[in-house]
Amino acid sequence: MNNVADDGLRRTALGRNNDHRDVAEDASFTLNLGEIARILWRNVWVIALCTVIGGAVATYNVLRITPTYVATAQILLGQENQADNALGSLFQQLERDNNEIYGEISIMTSGRFLSRVSEALSLEDLPEFNPALLPAPQEPSLIENATSAIKSMVKYVLSAEDSDPDPAPPQDTDATSMDDDSAAANLRLAASAERTVRGDQAVFVDTLARRLVVRQQGSSSVLDIRFTSPDPIVAAAVANTVADQYIAFQLEDKLASIKRLTDGLDERILDMRSRLEASERNVIAFRSQSLDGDSGGTGWMEQQLGELSRRLVNATAQRSELEAERGQISTLIEQQGFAAAAEVLDSDLIRRLQQERAELELRAAQLRDRFGSSGGRIEDIGQQVTAIDQAIEYEVLRILAEKENEVAVAAAREASVRQQFKDLKETYLEWEREQIALSELERERDANRLVYETFLTTYSQSTETVALQAADARVVNYAEPPRNPAAPRKKVSVALGLIAGLCAGLGLTFLRAFLDRSVDGLVKLRRLLKGIPIFATIPVARGFLGRVDPLKAIGQPRNAALTESVRTLRNMLIIGRKSSGMKIAVMSSLSNEGKTTTSLLLAHAAVQAGKSVVVVETDLRRSSIARVLNAPDRPNLDDLLNDQSTAPLRSILRKDELTGAYILPAQQGSGDPGSVLLSNRMSALINRLEAEFDIIVFDTPPMLSVSDALPILRKADEIVLAVRWKKSSADALEDCLRQLRVADITPTCAVMTMVGRSEPQNYAAGDYAVY
């Protein structure tokens, strides 16, 4: 049988499933320049329409808008004058600093200042500022009435929602009513303070403030005063008046400040004069009580303190020396006796007694050597030595007592000098405190005199320079009535309207492209197929008056693209394949995607190539091929499945004259189409068809609607997936491919059906097929 043909020429759907298994899935959305160009070309009329509408709306609005004129005057801030130089050193707040320019702008745009401008120009007589002078408005149109009614209804609903459902009952006492009225009056007065200041010009000032703009030129001190008005004369007049009134207002404010200054100086001068006189009297009175006359002055006191300090040091040293000598004698007496103490004392009597004692001891030694240790003379000598020792002891005690007296005298002398030093130091400190107090009084007097003289000088200068006062600003340029309106700028407005319409059209175009989930291009189809090749793009068949039957359009010069695309699909499928019994299944994810017409076109092209072709409709639920070809529906697939004869199928099947292929339609009404297609009878019928025909084209049911197509797809040698341009859903196609992967089936190729004639690389919608 042909089912065991050469494996090199035969590639079943099951075998091909591994061809694209390793293709990386890329679900990212890519958009290249070519795709962008195609999107723009498809929606060129939408873009053009939005652009025209934008330009038309802009033109309509420009023609309806009343032209306005802008006049500009310029003033320069920071002018100095003699009064500023005279008063600025003492009162810095009177100087005009460039950093206060924003504050000056606020003054020029304030309601109080603009009320002066309104009064100067009598703006109440101009209808532009006084609504009472405007003509009576026309009756509103029906649309305006409806709009107003809707607004009123919305406001009523909102106010009803915000209102308190259970308001507190009012108190009816007279005292509470009077308090509430008084509080309400005070609130109204505080809330209308600005209106009160503006006076009768309040209504006109609001309009004036809305149209007035004061701006600084860069970081300079030049201010631009711009006013917008429908009348160029009014625009220039208001700008110039604002400049003049600002200079006048500034000069008046400066003169008022100087008046307040001179009045304040007059009061301060009188006060400072009293202070100066009082400080001078305090200095004189303190000097009369000062110790300066009795003390001899600072130099004498410092000299006396130095002398007493030296005397105190000497007395302290002398006392310490005497105490040391006394202590030494007492220590020697206690530790070594009077003899040792006598050795260190400087006394002639002690030296003489010591000499006599030495002589007696020498004589006693001589006598002991001659007569022995006994004898009356030796005893006399011992008594004399004892007497001498007592005399030495008495002399030492006398000297010690003398030293005690000297220490007492030195201590008394030191205490006297110390007391004198202390008394003189206290006297000096008291005198220093008095001198400090006197210095404070003198400084206060000098400060009062300086301030008094400064106030006198400033007062004199201020009174002399009042006549020299000038404003700190001057007009650089007065405004001229403009010749051309500043708004609307017709060309710019229309251009902006066109640009806005173009942008809206582009936005709408790309929004539609982004939200469109249909398969509308080769790029999107390749991304969804994930490696499955696209063999052909079948364009829609067109006639002179619109679409025509593609089967009848084959071969016409007008539909040459259709003919070539079908031939390309035929060649890609059958060249290099087995010569007979080739099974081709044409499938789609959903119905109405051009599957049936693609099957017939492929069969027609194969017949043109000299192949014997049979088209087998396997949709047992919705048979349509007989209706498309306007042919009888017998014999059908059910008839052949139940036919047990062995007659050639060509003698049983009907040959379609238009395509040249044999047609085997399906019979609707089968209870279980899947079991029929899976049956042995169906396999036997396919074997018979393989034996008698070169190519068998199966028109299968839609994949996502039912699963009846799976048995035929498994038996097919080649599978063609039909995708309808701008009608097939990307989600549906992904679901279909997912089901095929689960069933381990991979289509051979894909074709895009019903391609637009104006875009050969894309696809136009058509309605020439059932599926």
Side-chain angles (χ1 to χ4, degrees), residues 239-398:
N240 294 334
T241 304
V242 169
D244 292 338
Q245 287 296 323
Y246 173 72
I247 293 176
F249 174 80
Q250 194 180 60
L251 184 57
E252 292 174 3
D253 185 65
K254 180 174 289 189
L255 293 175
S257 299
I258 294 176
K259 179 64 170 56
R260 292 192 299 271
L261 173 64
T262 54
D263 293 343
L265 286 175
D266 194 10
E267 296 178 359
R268 293 300 303 274
I269 288 173
L270 295 177
D271 180 59
M272 292 307 301
R273 181 183 299 168
S274 300
R275 291 186 181 184
L276 179 59
E277 293 174 354
S279 61
E280 289 179 345
R281 287 193 296 269
N282 292 335
V283 171
I284 294 172
F286 190 84
R287 281 179 176 176
S288 64
Q289 301 174 0
S290 174
L291 300 176
D292 193 15
D294 299 334
S295 61
T298 304
W300 180 82
M301 286 191 178
E302 292 177 350
Q303 182 179 359
Q304 291 298 318
L305 286 173
E307 181 66 25
L308 287 176
S309 177
R310 288 191 296 273
R311 288 173 59 188
L312 179 61
V313 171
N314 293 333
T316 302
Q318 186 178 3
R319 177 184 57 78
S320 299
E321 184 179 357
L322 291 174
E323 288 179 347
E325 291 177 357
R326 183 193 64 184
Q328 184 180 7
I329 294 171
S330 299
T331 302
L332 288 174
I333 291 172
E334 292 176 358
Q335 295 179 357
Q336 301 179 15
F338 288 96
E343 294 294 333
V344 299
L345 294 177
D346 185 14
S347 173
D348 293 337
L349 178 58
I350 292 175
R351 283 193 295 271
R352 188 172 63 253
L353 291 174
Q354 288 177 344
Q355 186 177 2
E356 292 177 357
R357 187 178 185 281
E359 292 176 353
L360 289 175
E361 288 180 350
L362 179 60
R363 189 182 301 172
Q366 292 175 354
L367 290 176
R368 280 192 295 274
D369 292 338
R370 184 180 295 180
F371 302 104
S373 59
S374 61
R377 295 186 65 181
I378 293 175
E379 292 178 358
D380 292 337
I381 291 173
Q383 292 176 355
Q384 291 178 5
V385 170
T386 301
I388 289 173
D389 289 339
Q390 290 177 352
I392 290 173
E393 181 178 350
Y394 291 149
E395 182 63 18
V396 170
L397 290 176
R398 186 191 65 76

Side-chain angles (χ1 to χ4, degrees), residues 172-188:
D172 297 330
T173 61
D174 296 338
T176 303
S177 178
M178 293 178 62
D179 293 341
D180 292 344
D181 293 342
S182 177
N186 292 333
L187 289 175
R188 287 193 295 271

Side-chain angles (χ1 to χ4, degrees), residues 10-21 714 716-717 744-746:
R10 177 183 173 92
R11 297 192 307 160
T12 63
L14 295 176
R16 284 193 308 272
N17 192 53
N18 294 326
D19 294 347
H20 310 292
R21 187 179 299 276
R714 286 185 176 276
D717 299 322
D744 199 22
I745 298 174
T746 301

